[in-house]
Amino acid sequence: MVGLVIRDRDSGLVKVDMTMNISQTQGSVITNSANGSITIPTPPVGKTQFPIVVPLQDIQREKGKLPSVVISGGVLSWIYSYNTNGWGNFSANCIIYYGYY
């Protein structure tokens, strides 16, 4: 494996190990509080894609719901799903970052 390993001179303990998988951000999309999908670039061979959902508004005070996110076949899709019988539930506007490791 190629990479950088830095060890403590006295103890030999590893301080930095850059031979592991490090994530790379590919882009982001804002949901506008609605279900949706976008086409995204495929990762390099041997890498795995991931999403990170970040709310753009306070979701704790007003029962905002985050979307479920799936990446499959070069498409990132998200859907809001929650019990519509409860008072105050709403689809929170979010930004979804996506990348690979």
Side-chain angles (χ1 to χ4, degrees):
M1 182 178 288
V2 177
L4 170 70
V5 177
I6 299 174
R7 298 179 186 274
D8 181 274
R9 180 188 312 188
D10 298 323
S11 68
L13 292 175
V14 175
K15 298 290 188 178
V16 176
D17 184 347
M18 304 273 304
T19 61
M20 63 186 107
N21 289 328
I22 298 176
S23 65
Q24 173 68 50
T25 300
Q26 291 180 291
S28 64
V29 61
I30 295 178
T31 66
N32 294 314
S33 302
N35 298 339
S37 65
I38 60 169
T39 301
I40 61 174
T42 57
V45 173
K47 300 293 183 177
T48 301
Q49 286 183 301
F50 66 88
I52 298 174
V53 180
V54 179
L56 295 175
Q57 59 194 115
D58 185 356
I59 61 171
Q60 294 180 12
R61 291 187 61 191
E62 303 192 28
K63 298 185 181 179
K65 303 300 179 183
L66 303 179
S68 297
V69 180
V70 174
I71 298 175
S72 179
V75 174
L76 182 146
S77 58
W78 62 94
I79 186 167
Y80 289 90
S81 177
Y82 49 88
N83 181 351
T84 57
N85 294 330
W87 177 84
N89 290 333
F90 69 95
S91 300
N93 191 23
C94 300
I95 186 167
I96 302 171
Y97 296 98
Y98 54 93
Y100 61 85
Y101 62 91

